[in-house]
Amino acid sequence: DAGVTQSPTHLIKTRGQQVTLRCSPISGHKSVSWYQQVLGQGPQFIFQYYEKEERGRGNFPDRFSARQFPNYSSELNVNALLLGDSALYLCASSFEQAVYYEQYFGPGTRLTVT
Amino acid sequence: GIQVEQSPPDLILQEGANSTLRCNFSDSVNNLQWFHQNPWGQLINLFYIPSGTKQNGRLSATTVATERYSLLYISSSQTTDSGVYFCAANSGTYKYIFGTGTRLKVLA
């Protein structure tokens, strides 16, 4: 079975631009989470979506938004890009049983803002 | 919210040596995972272990939930074990909190 897929792999944008990152979860997984990993740090939680509803949001500005589609794929949008948004963006999917779930990560999208 | 701390921050080993990585968490957890991040950034699942002990080849992990820590054991280390090891946990919310990682370098 295919794992979590993300596109694009790499992206270079200019300050002030907008970017859309895409994620397809493992088949059968209904939950998608997004994380930002800045160089030298651990991933930081941005959003979680379950059944197309936002279920959790981390401490990120409103420039960050996301949505989940009926096929459970997801997009992360970042507006008005800043240099500090340069990072590896990771998507994770999970199959939940009550509050217990294991996350599986995609390969990430490396965003560079110049 | 829950806080996750990992130690040591850096570790250098000779090939064939054993090591223990530690993860402390500040609250009871519903979920806890160990990951290995390879040089390309891919997070590889090692263990899902909110409690108890698991083994997979040369790797094993133990979580003592009542004392709020988890340990990852690597035996007979190989150069391919190099990378960053992360512990991540959540407690009552839907967001996993990651530790700052342990950077492991195994020398041939």
Side-chain angles (χ1 to χ4, degrees):
Chain A
D1 285 342
V4 179
T5 59
Q6 292 186 244
S7 63
T9 305
H10 295 87
L11 203 52
I12 300 175
K13 290 286 189 178
T14 304
R15 275 178 299 176
Q17 287 188 316
Q18 175 264 342
V19 67
T20 298
L21 311 181
R22 295 177 175 82
C23 171
S24 291
I26 292 170
S27 177
H29 287 190
K30 298 181 179 180
S31 176
V32 171
S33 298
W34 287 95
Y35 293 80
Q36 180 197 65
Q37 186 177 21
V38 174
L39 195 63
Q41 297 182 19
Q44 300 289 316
F45 174 82
I46 309 176
F47 287 109
Q48 188 184 78
Y49 276 77
Y50 180 75
E51 290 278 18
K52 303 183 290 296
E53 297 289 327
E54 180 185 306
R55 200 164 60 177
R57 171 187 275 261
N59 295 325
F60 282 80
D62 292 343
R63 299 184 296 107
F64 288 77
S65 64
R67 55 179 175 168
Q68 186 177 33
F69 299 98
N71 66 353
Y72 304 110
S73 67
S74 177
E75 287 182 350
L76 175 70
N77 296 286
V78 186
N79 294 322
L81 285 166
L82 303 174
L83 294 179
D85 295 330
S86 295
L88 179 66
Y89 288 85
L90 295 162
C91 171
S93 77
S94 56
F95 176 81
E96 300 185 6
Q97 293 179 298
V99 297
Y100 306 107
Y101 61 97
E102 180 175 3
Q103 293 198 317
Y104 296 85
F105 283 81
T109 294
R110 198 167 295 275
L111 172 65
T112 302
V113 181
T114 62
Chain B
I2 189 172
Q3 295 180 25
V4 179
E5 296 180 350
Q6 292 185 244
S7 61
D10 296 282
L11 191 56
I12 300 176
L13 299 174
Q14 206 63 40
E15 200 168 29
N18 302 329
S19 60
T20 300
L21 283 58
R22 187 177 180 102
C23 171
N24 292 331
F25 41 94
S26 61
D27 203 348
S28 58
V29 296
N30 293 327
N31 301 284
L32 189 141
Q33 291 185 248
W34 283 96
F35 298 93
H36 176 211
Q37 189 166 43
N38 66 22
W40 298 271
Q42 175 80 55
L43 281 168
I44 299 164
N45 289 37
L46 297 178
F47 294 101
Y48 172 77
I49 188 166
S51 64
T53 298
K54 291 185 178 180
Q55 180 156 8
N56 184 4
R58 296 181 296 103
L59 273 58
S60 63
T62 295
T63 297
V64 183
T66 53
E67 297 188 22
R68 299 182 182 170
Y69 71 88
S70 183
L71 301 174
L72 176 69
Y73 305 97
I74 304 174
S75 65
S76 304
S77 58
Q78 302 175 357
T79 56
T80 52
D81 295 331
S82 297
V84 184
Y85 289 80
F86 286 105
C87 167
N90 72 1
S91 170
T93 70
Y94 293 104
K95 63 178 181 179
Y96 266 86
I97 302 298
F98 279 75
T100 52
T102 293
R103 284 156 184 76
L104 174 64
K105 185 167 187 177
V106 181
L107 304 175

